[in-house]
């Protein structure tokens, strides 16, 4: 059929075909796959879950011995479960978790479009979710792919599950919380979980053994209105200002401890004002000669698992919003401080926990070093597993990287991402090998 073509055009066609083939091959790399995942817009308030799940499923299907399952938590909210079968599936399994969704981004405040996954000449990949936490979602798969490429006969000791969950950035209540209550989760027989962590600004990896729990508190004060010229006692604004003064002193006392290096920020109770609402509106602003009859303030409180929730409630009731000062309060607890056995919601990060010993040794064998275990200042889906008593650590292998989660211009360097894959690959294999040597009964 090509007889009528001249030799030169035929040669050009062959060269074009070869260039297209090489281009496709070269683009199918860990970095390009990471960029493709980052380009899927999963930001709230309308995250796209179908496209990333299809992308991850297709990639997982290219890796031998990985089985995929999509589970719908609601008709419109799915999650993806991947399973790498182990040689002894009767043992409790290992679960590696990441979330599909991300927080919104304001494109006009970014140097590069937040969903373009633009890579600069120095290797920085700019994208919403680059650190939080699409990096580990892809690194899990790349590590398993690398293990099987280097040793096709390698089989983990126990089942390994990789989970991609929705709704983490809005509390996880329609995501991981729903899943851990389902039979499908119970059937996984999970014995140990690795969830997201945060970047480290130095040469040591960070690891988290607990989260802080948010309390959203609104204090309301009431009082008689009056003319702005009068010195009326016990007004709404006066009472609210007294409350804010007491709360500010409490905040400062915790800040002093942190500044003195006696505790990390995440180890103390933090409280920050987030809104004030008072005054009588007017067409030009507020009525200035009228004292308001109501005033409100909102506060974001973060409770470490070591805090006493009953004592905190007592402080709020007696000092921050006492009824005798015409004040009321409402607290919305956005999580838990205790597990189902009544214990502080944390995982032991010491040799008394065999999973810690295995994980720490695996990281060391991979050439890494862990910094002092920390309480995460914010909140992740890890708390839902810890509440069930399942040992859970937060770990994202990012070293020498500025912490940019939820920030403008979030990025991750290509070299850091690739190094993270190598560490996870060695950790995956190392955990299984160490278990076979000394801890096969966990």
């Amino acid at each position: 059929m090509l007889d009528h073509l001249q030799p030169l055009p035929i040669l050009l066609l062959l060269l074009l075909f070869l260039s297209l083939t090489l281009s496709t091959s070269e683009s199918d790399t860990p970095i390009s796959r990471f960029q493709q995942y980052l380009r899927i817009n999963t930001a709230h308030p309308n995250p796209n879950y179908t496209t990333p799940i299809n992308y991850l499923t297709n990639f997982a299907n290219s890796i031998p011995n990985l089985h995929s399952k999509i589970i719908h938590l609601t008709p419109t909210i799915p999650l993806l479960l991947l399973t790498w079968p182990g040689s002894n599936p009767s043992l409790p399994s290992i679960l590696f978790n990441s979330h599909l969704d991300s927080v919104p981004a304001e494109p006009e405040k970014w140097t590069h479009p937040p969903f373009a996954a633009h890579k600069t000449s120095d290797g920085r990949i700019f994208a919403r979710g680059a650190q939080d936490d699409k990096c580990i979602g892809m690194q899990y798969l790349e590590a398993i792919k690398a293990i099987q490429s280097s040793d096709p006969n390698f089989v983990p000791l126990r089942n390994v599950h990789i989970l991609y969950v929705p709704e983490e950035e809005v509390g996880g209540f329609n995501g991981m919380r729903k899943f851990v209550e389902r039979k499908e989760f119970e059937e996984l027989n999970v014995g140990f979980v690795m969830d997201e962590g945060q970047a480290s600004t130095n040469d040591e990896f960070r690891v988290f053994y607990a989260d802080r729990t948010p309390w959203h508190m609104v204090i309301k004060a009431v009082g008689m209105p009056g003319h702005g010229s009068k010195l009326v006692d016990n007004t709404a604004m006066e009472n609210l200002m007294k409350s804010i003064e007491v709360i500010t002193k409490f905040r400062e006392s915790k800040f002093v401890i942190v500044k003195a290096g006696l505790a990390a920020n995440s180890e103390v109770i933090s409280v920050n004002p987030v809104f004030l609402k008072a005054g009588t509106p007017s067409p030009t602003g507020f009525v200035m000669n009228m004292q308001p009859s109501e005033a409100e303030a909102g506060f974001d409180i973060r409770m470490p698992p070591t805090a006493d929730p009953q004592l905190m409630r007592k402080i709020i009731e007696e000092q921050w919003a006492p009824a005798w000062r015409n004040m009321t309060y409402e607290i919305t607890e956005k999580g838990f401080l205790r597990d189902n056995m009544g214990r502080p919601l944390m995982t032991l990060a010491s040799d008394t926990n065999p999973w810690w010993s295995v994980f720490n040794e695996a990281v060391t064998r991979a050439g890494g070093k862990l910094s002092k275990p920390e309480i995460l200042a914010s909140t992740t889906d890890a708390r839902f597993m810890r509440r069930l008593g399942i040992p859970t650590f937060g770990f994202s292998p990012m070293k020498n990287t500025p912490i940019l989660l939820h920030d403008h211009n979030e990025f991750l360097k290509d070299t850091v991402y690739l190094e993270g894959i190598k560490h996870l690959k060695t950790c995956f294999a190392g955990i299984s090998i160490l278990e076979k040597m000394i801890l096969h009964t966990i």
Side-chain angles (χ1 to χ4, degrees):
M1 293 179 64
L2 298 177
D3 290 346
H4 65 285
L5 296 177
Q6 297 299 315
L8 183 58
I10 292 175
L11 179 60
L12 289 174
L13 285 171
L14 288 172
L15 289 173
L16 176 62
F17 173 76
L18 286 172
S19 68
L20 288 172
T21 303
L22 288 172
S23 175
T24 302
S25 174
E26 290 173 356
S27 67
D28 190 25
T29 66
I31 294 299
S32 68
R33 289 191 287 266
F34 181 38
Q35 289 176 287
Q36 291 174 49
Y37 187 37
L38 290 170
R39 287 175 184 138
I40 303 171
N41 188 339
T42 58
H44 287 282
N46 298 303
N48 173 359
Y49 291 131
T50 302
T51 303
I53 284 180
N54 289 340
Y55 178 75
L56 292 165
T57 301
N58 289 334
F59 183 29
N61 288 342
S62 71
I63 303 173
N65 305 318
L66 270 185
H67 309 293
S68 62
K69 182 179 181 181
I70 298 174
I71 299 171
H72 277 84
L73 302 172
T74 73
T76 58
I77 300 180
L79 64 76
L80 175 63
L81 173 66
L82 305 177
T83 299
W84 186 15
S87 59
N88 191 347
S90 64
L91 293 173
S93 66
I94 298 176
L95 174 64
F96 293 91
N97 183 57
S98 73
H99 58 86
L100 297 161
D101 56 327
S102 58
V103 295
E106 301 173 80
E108 67 278 6
K109 297 179 180 178
W110 285 57
T111 305
H112 304 282
F115 296 101
H118 177 81
K119 181 182 171 185
T120 59
S121 59
D122 62 355
R124 290 178 296 168
I125 303 171
F126 286 84
R128 174 58 83 221
Q131 292 188 19
D132 183 20
D133 71 342
K134 290 183 176 179
C135 52
I136 58 170
M138 288 298 291
Q139 285 170 322
Y140 293 152
L141 291 178
E142 296 287 0
I144 294 173
K145 179 181 176 70
I147 289 172
Q148 297 202 17
S149 296
S150 60
D151 184 1
N153 296 318
F154 181 88
V155 178
L157 177 63
R158 59 186 76 219
N159 288 346
V160 174
H161 304 290
I162 304 97
L163 190 62
Y164 298 88
V165 297
E167 303 293 280
E168 191 274 346
E169 293 291 7
V170 290
F173 299 106
N174 285 321
M176 181 61 84
R177 182 172 184 177
K178 279 187 179 294
F179 184 53
V180 298
E181 295 171 350
R182 292 174 62 127
K183 186 178 181 181
E184 290 98 330
F185 181 82
E186 182 181 351
E187 291 173 344
L188 298 181
N189 188 26
V190 177
F192 176 61
V193 178
M194 291 290 296
D195 200 359
E196 64 176 310
Q198 286 186 5
S200 168
T201 57
N202 56 40
D203 202 41
E204 296 180 339
F205 291 119
R206 300 172 75 190
V207 60
F208 302 90
Y209 64 90
D211 294 356
R212 287 199 300 183
T213 299
W215 283 12
H216 293 171
M217 179 183 69
V218 176
I219 292 177
K220 184 175 182 179
V222 297
M224 291 297 294
H227 195 281
S229 64
K230 292 183 178 180
L231 287 174
V232 181
D233 192 23
N234 210 30
T235 66
M237 283 297 291
E238 179 188 18
N239 286 334
L240 183 62
M241 290 167 65
K242 288 179 179 178
S243 178
I244 292 174
E245 183 179 350
V246 173
I247 294 171
T248 300
K249 288 181 179 179
F250 177 92
R251 183 183 186 275
E252 289 174 350
S253 70
K254 302 301 180 183
F255 216 176
V256 167
I257 295 172
V258 173
K259 289 179 178 179
L262 301 177
N265 174 70
S266 59
E267 294 174 342
V268 301
I269 300 171
S270 67
V271 53
N272 289 297
V274 292
F275 77 82
L276 293 170
K277 186 169 69 173
T280 303
S282 74
T284 57
F286 291 91
V287 177
M288 295 300 291
N289 65 346
M290 181 177 177
Q291 299 182 47
S293 61
E294 295 184 358
E296 291 184 31
F299 300 86
D300 184 341
I301 303 172
R302 298 295 170 123
M303 300 280 287
T306 52
D308 183 340
Q310 298 305 319
L311 176 60
M312 193 64 207
R313 284 185 174 275
K314 184 178 177 65
I315 291 173
I316 293 169
E317 181 176 351
E318 295 181 357
Q319 301 177 29
W320 295 7
W324 58 265
R325 211 160 61 213
N326 295 333
M327 306 193 76
T328 58
Y329 67 91
E330 182 178 345
I331 297 172
T332 303
E333 297 184 29
K334 308 295 286 187
F336 331 97
L337 283 170
R338 300 290 182 264
D339 66 16
N340 288 345
M341 300 293 290
R343 300 167 298 193
L345 205 62
M346 62 177 71
T347 297
L348 290 176
S350 66
D351 290 336
T352 57
N353 175 6
W355 282 113
W356 168 258
S357 301
V358 170
F359 169 65
N360 191 23
E361 178 65 21
V363 171
T364 301
R365 290 192 176 203
K369 183 180 180 181
L370 295 175
S371 61
K372 179 184 176 182
E374 304 174 59
I375 297 174
L376 189 67
S378 54
T379 310
T380 68
D381 280 340
R383 68 192 191 280
F384 298 116
M385 276 78 76
R386 292 189 186 112
R387 194 183 185 208
L388 299 176
I390 301 172
T392 303
F393 291 117
F395 177 71
S396 294
M398 298 179 285
K399 297 189 303 183
N400 301 310
T401 298
I403 303 168
L404 296 170
L405 69 166
H406 298 194
D407 206 342
H408 304 316
N409 292 318
E410 179 181 357
F411 75 82
L412 187 63
K413 289 198 70 171
D414 54 358
T415 52
V416 174
Y417 178 76
L418 293 172
E419 184 183 9
I421 294 173
K422 292 180 181 179
H423 276 278
L424 283 177
K425 172 189 172 184
T426 309
C427 283
F428 280 8
I431 286 174
S432 189
I433 292 169
L434 287 166
E435 286 187 277
K436 290 177 182 178
M437 292 170 55
I438 56 175
L439 291 164
H440 61 279
T441 58
I442 292 179

